[in-house]
Amino acid sequence: MEVDYEFRNWEELIPDALGLIFKNLTLDETLTVIPRVCKFWGRVVAGPYCWQEINIVEWSKCQSPQTIDRMLRMLVTRSSGLPRKLCVSGALNDQSFSFIADHAKSLRTLKLPRIAVSDLIVEQVAAKLSTITSLDLSYCKTVGAPALEAIGKHCKHLTKLRRCMYGWELDKDPQDKEGFAIAATMPKLKHLELRFMRISTEPVLQILLSCPELHLLNVVGCYSVKIDEKFVKNFSGLNVVGPEGSGWDDCSTFSVSSSYLDWDLMGVIHNEVEYDDFEEDMLDEAWEDGLGMEDGEAFGFYDSFCRDNAGFDWPPSP
C-alpha cells in the first residue's frame, strides 16, 4: 500500500513561530548555527522575532565591556526597539545605559547586575523606562539613592526590586538613604531583596510601612537590621528572610564565612577576573541577500570564543 507523505517547506512557517522555536536554543546557536542553515532562517534571526527577550548574562560574564556593549547594541537593534526583557551583566557605562533607555522603551524586566553607571545618567533617562515592573541593580557600586529615587518616581508599575551588594564591604558607608528612597517612591513593591546592604533598621521599617503590597522582604546579611517578629506579624502575607542572627529562618544563619557561597557572590568573584578581548573573526562569506556585516560580526563573537576555548570554530548543530 502506497502512502503519500506531504512534506511542508520550513519557509511556510511564519517568522513569529520560528522565533518562538529558536528561543529554546542558546545564544551562540542562535547567532552562529541558525543563520548557516538557510537564508530564510538567517533573515528570521536578523529580525525582531528572536529578540523580544534578550538574556546574555551568562555569556557576558567572560567578555570585555566593549564586546558586551557591541553585542547589546546589536541585539536591541535587531529587536526593533521592542524587547520586553533585557538581562546583561558587566561593566556597562553611561552611554550603554542611555542607549537602552532610548531604544528599549517597552521593557518590563531589566536585569543589570554589576554595571558601572552613574546616578546622574539614571536620573536623566529614568522617565524613558516607565514601563518596567522588575529591576535588578545588584552589585552596582556606582548607583545610589538618587538613582533609586528617580526610578521610583518614574517607574510607577515597579513591583520587584533586587539590590544585593557585596558581603565583604561591611566597613563602607551606610546605605540608609537608599532604603528611605525606596520607601518614599516605590509603594507598589511586592518583592524586595536587599541582601548584604549596609542598611539599618529604621529605613527597613519605613519600607514595611510604605509598601503595603510587599510579600517578600529579603534582608539576609544586613547585620544592622533588627526586626521584631511580632511587628512583622502585623503585615498580612509578608514573608521576611533574614536578617542575620534573627533566628526565624534557616536563611538568616547565612554569613560570608559560611561554607555555603551565594551563587551571586560567586558570580561576582568570577567577574572580577580580567579577560583579554577576544579576536574578532569576520565571516568571509556572508549571505548575499542582506545579512551583511552585522551578521558577520555576530559570527565573530562566537567563532573566536569557541576556537579559543573549545577547539572548534563553531558550536555543534542543535
Side-chain angles (χ1 to χ4, degrees), residues 249-312:
D249 194 287
D250 291 340
C251 293
S252 66
T253 61
F254 175 84
S255 66
V256 178
S257 61
S258 171
S259 59
Y260 170 80
L261 281 177
D262 178 15
W263 286 111
D264 283 325
L265 297 180
M266 287 289 287
V268 172
I269 296 172
H270 177 73
N271 199 52
E272 291 295 323
V273 180
E274 293 184 0
Y275 293 87
D276 294 330
D277 292 351
F278 292 115
E279 178 185 1
E280 287 188 39
D281 178 25
M282 307 303 285
L283 198 64
D284 292 331
E285 296 182 3
W287 295 115
E288 296 179 356
D289 62 343
L291 291 185
M293 183 64 70
E294 181 194 55
D295 295 85
E297 181 178 19
F299 294 135
F301 277 120
Y302 275 99
D303 281 351
S304 58
F305 177 83
C306 293
R307 278 201 310 275
D308 291 341
N309 294 275
F312 46 83

Side-chain angles (χ1 to χ4, degrees), residues 25-237:
L25 302 177
T26 63
L27 180 66
D28 56 335
E29 290 171 336
T30 304
L31 288 178
T32 63
V33 177
I34 295 302
R36 286 168 163 158
V37 172
C38 67
K39 296 179 181 181
F40 176 66
W41 283 19
R43 287 194 294 269
V44 171
V45 171
Y49 313 104
C50 298
W51 311 113
Q52 300 306 295
E53 295 185 1
I54 301 172
N55 188 341
I56 57 174
V57 170
E58 290 302 317
W59 173 84
S60 60
K61 285 182 178 178
C62 57
Q63 305 296 327
S64 70
Q66 295 79 13
T67 303
I68 296 171
D69 181 72
R70 289 174 54 234
M71 176 68 86
L72 172 68
R73 290 172 183 266
M74 183 184 73
L75 296 184
V76 170
T77 300
R78 286 190 177 192
S79 74
S80 297
L82 298 174
R84 297 184 299 271
K85 180 178 181 179
L86 176 59
C87 308
V88 56
S89 174
L92 296 184
N93 54 27
D94 286 0
Q95 290 74 26
S96 303
F97 191 82
S98 181
F99 176 83
I100 292 172
D102 288 336
H103 296 86
K105 297 182 180 180
S106 298
L107 281 173
R108 298 292 186 271
T109 299
L110 183 60
K111 182 177 181 181
L112 301 173
R114 306 175 189 93
I115 63 171
V117 300
S118 65
D119 283 333
L120 179 60
I121 193 65
V122 176
E123 290 179 286
Q124 291 176 349
V125 305
K128 300 177 182 180
L129 300 171
S130 60
T131 58
I132 289 179
T133 60
S134 178
L135 178 65
D136 187 345
L137 290 176
S138 296
Y139 315 116
C140 303
K141 295 187 288 186
T142 56
V143 170
L148 293 178
E149 182 177 357
I151 290 170
K153 287 181 178 179
H154 294 287
C155 303
K156 299 297 185 181
H157 305 291
L158 190 66
T159 60
K160 182 176 181 179
L161 175 65
R162 195 167 185 264
R163 179 75 172 132
C164 306
M165 296 303 291
Y166 301 94
W168 51 80
E169 292 189 330
L170 302 178
D171 59 338
K172 301 294 184 179
D173 294 334
Q175 297 172 297
D176 285 357
K177 290 182 179 180
E178 293 191 25
F180 287 123
I182 293 171
T185 62
M186 303 180 186
K188 293 187 177 181
L189 282 180
K190 298 180 180 180
H191 183 125
L192 177 61
E193 293 187 50
L194 303 175
R195 292 187 292 131
F196 288 99
M197 283 189 64
R198 301 174 300 279
I199 192 170
S200 63
T201 302
E202 185 179 357
V204 173
L205 294 181
Q206 190 61 48
I207 290 172
L208 293 179
L209 293 171
S210 303
C211 303
E213 300 180 38
L214 197 63
H215 296 326
L216 175 64
L217 173 65
N218 189 330
V219 286
V220 166
C222 299
Y223 302 103
S224 298
V225 175
K226 308 297 179 184
I227 304 178
D228 184 80
E229 184 178 359
K230 294 181 180 179
F231 177 78
V232 173
K233 287 183 178 179
N234 294 324
F235 300 89
S236 177

